Amino acid sequence: MALNTPKFGSITTRRLTSVVDAAALLRDGGIVAFPTETVYGLGVDARNPEAIERLFLAKGRPSDNPLIVHVASIDDWRLAARTLTDTASALLTAFAPGPLTVVLPKHPSISHRVTAGLDTVGLRIPASREAHELLREAQIPIAAPSANRSGRPSCTTWQSVMEDLDGRIDAVLEGEPCTVGLESTVVDCCGPVPILLRPGFVSLADLQAVVPSTVAISRDQLHALASPGLRHPHYQPNARVHLVDHPAECNVTAGTAGEFPVAYAGLIPHPYAARLALHASFENIEAYAMNLYEFLRRADRLRVRDIYLQQVADTGLGQALSDRQRRSAGIIKP
Ligand code: TXA
Ligand code: MG
């Protein structure tokens, strides 16, 4: 028998505009969604096991998937980590605040529930003004996964957060849409050689420019190594996602009357754009990355059956975008 299970739907999710109110609620053990430059995060006090428990339930997150801990500045690393390795220090100096997470030996005050039993912790210093002010005001380490129901595309607007989590969390901070649009680059900095676990806006080449020995995780390591989140399904809309190299590959033909119940997004516009249920063409990879998740969510709102995503070159930010595209299509292994 399930005892003490929170009754979701009975919680009133407050819409906040003040970071001071949001910080106070976090210090009181609340679950508060807030904007970062990457995606919205679902924050709780990283030292409060009860709040963390509620967070996992609210999100429907597998309990073997560790959370990233957020602090206001590099100087605050001791709130989350036991030691700052040389490689982490070099990478944070180059890219923090920003869309980078470094994995380090964890500080004893961080709950094992946050790290899913691991002795390491993901540490991130977000760059967006709202996230920075919130963390500075709260003065506590904030554990925050992406603010979406587990398995769904991440949220880059507060309205999408409400779509997934209204009635399940205490509050959402109504901030700006996210500018990066894909989750942070995650790099394991515990050993002598940094290992890129999850590609993001900070690319492998960017990391290697600072620490040349940095390597990308191999397929074998992916299954052996301790980043369980990489093994779970992610970023999946209800519609079926197909990856194409060119719009001509979409199952849409000229001369068919009426609207096609499909969505298409890519760098090259679709020739029958006006007749598709949803169409988006982007000027560059940055704009594609920034808008991908909202596009997938919009397609679901329109109840389209098939989503076609044009693939991009697997370099720079394209590496992160390709990774998310493949995962949204249900291809787990990169
Ligand atoms: O941009 C982001 O990183 C956003 C914002 C809110 O900061 N957060 C985010 O969190 O994407 P989440 O929980 O959706 O993804 C965290 C990823 C997962 O793949 C998880 O396995 C990995 O980071 N991770 C966290 N702690 C780790 C650790 N100690 N060792 C290895 N991987 C870790
Ligand atoms: Mg996530």
Side-chain angles (χ1 to χ4, degrees):
M1 195 169 68
L3 291 173
N4 301 322
T5 305
K7 288 196 175 47
F8 293 119
S10 58
I11 301 175
T12 301
T13 300
R14 291 165 62 196
R15 284 164 44 182
L16 304 176
T17 50
S18 149
V19 289
V20 177
D21 293 346
L25 194 48
L26 283 166
R27 278 197 305 267
D28 280 352
I31 308 178
V32 181
F34 63 96
T36 80
E37 74 277 24
T38 57
V39 297
Y40 270 69
L42 195 54
V44 289
D45 181 346
R47 306 160 311 176
N48 182 333
E50 225 169 275
I52 296 156
E53 202 60 45
R54 285 179 68 223
L55 169 71
F56 272 86
L57 284 171
K59 212 182 126 91
R61 183 175 178 102
S63 57
D64 67 348
N65 194 358
L67 308 176
I68 293 171
V69 176
H70 301 67
V71 298
S73 76
I74 300 182
D75 296 339
D76 294 333
W77 65 266
R78 287 179 191 81
L79 287 175
R82 188 161 44 77
T83 47
L84 186 66
T85 58
D86 289 347
T87 53
S89 172
L91 293 176
L92 288 177
T93 303
F95 302 113
L100 175 74
T101 296
V102 291
V103 174
L104 289 167
K106 89 170 190 69
H107 192 277
S109 68
I110 300 296
S111 164
H112 262 111
R113 198 72 184 83
V114 165
T115 63
L118 300 173
D119 288 325
T120 58
V121 65
L123 171 75
R124 173 155 129 77
I125 298 141
S128 78
R129 181 185 56 80
E130 287 149 322
H132 178 73
E133 285 177 4
L134 177 68
L135 291 163
R136 207 185 44 196
E137 179 69 28
Q139 289 288 314
I140 52 174
I142 302 291
S146 52
N148 51 278
R149 291 288 283 272
S150 200
R152 299 267 302 148
S154 302
C155 295
T156 52
T157 64
W158 67 261
Q159 290 92 340
S160 288
V161 173
M162 285 298 271
E163 180 177 64
D164 268 22
L165 295 166
D166 189 12
R168 303 176 76 91
I169 61 175
D170 297 302
V172 60
L173 182 59
E174 290 182 6
E176 295 293 315
C178 305
T179 51
V180 171
L182 303 180
E183 306 77 5
S184 63
T185 306
V186 180
V187 186
D188 184 340
C189 290
C190 293
V193 172
I195 304 171
L196 172 61
L197 300 178
R198 179 175 73 180
F201 189 81
V202 178
S203 69
L204 180 61
D206 294 335
L207 298 167
Q208 286 171 337
V210 179
V211 182
S213 62
T214 307
V215 293
I217 189 169
S218 69
R219 280 182 191 215
D220 291 347
Q221 282 172 312
L222 179 65
H223 288 269
L225 215 126
S227 194
L230 297 168
R231 297 194 301 257
H232 292 294
H234 268 96
Y235 322 119
Q236 292 181 358
N238 298 324
R240 225 174 13 213
V241 176
H242 311 270
L243 306 185
V244 295
D245 289 320
H246 193 274
E249 291 167 43
C250 303
N251 191 16
V252 168
T253 49
T256 311
E259 284 214 332
F260 299 103
V262 306
Y264 167 85
L267 295 171
I268 307 174
H270 196 286
Y272 310 128
R275 300 173 58 189
L276 305 183
L278 182 64
H279 177 272
S281 63
F282 303 109
E283 268 186 11
N284 50 44
I285 302 255
E286 285 75 13
Y288 198 167
M290 182 173 147
N291 290 288
L292 175 72
Y293 291 142
E294 201 53 33
F295 175 85
L296 297 176
R297 287 180 164 272
R298 215 171 290 151
D300 271 355
R301 281 173 214 136
L302 294 171
R303 298 185 192 285
V304 307
R305 204 184 46 213
D306 295 286
I307 298 174
Y308 293 91
L309 298 177
Q310 191 202 348
Q311 305 196 83
V312 295
D314 212 358
T315 56
L317 179 57
Q319 246 166 23
L321 183 53
S322 298
D323 172 76
R324 304 315 190 272
Q325 288 180 327
R326 286 193 285 248
R327 287 170 188 274
S328 73
I331 305 163
I332 307 299
K333 276 197 213 170

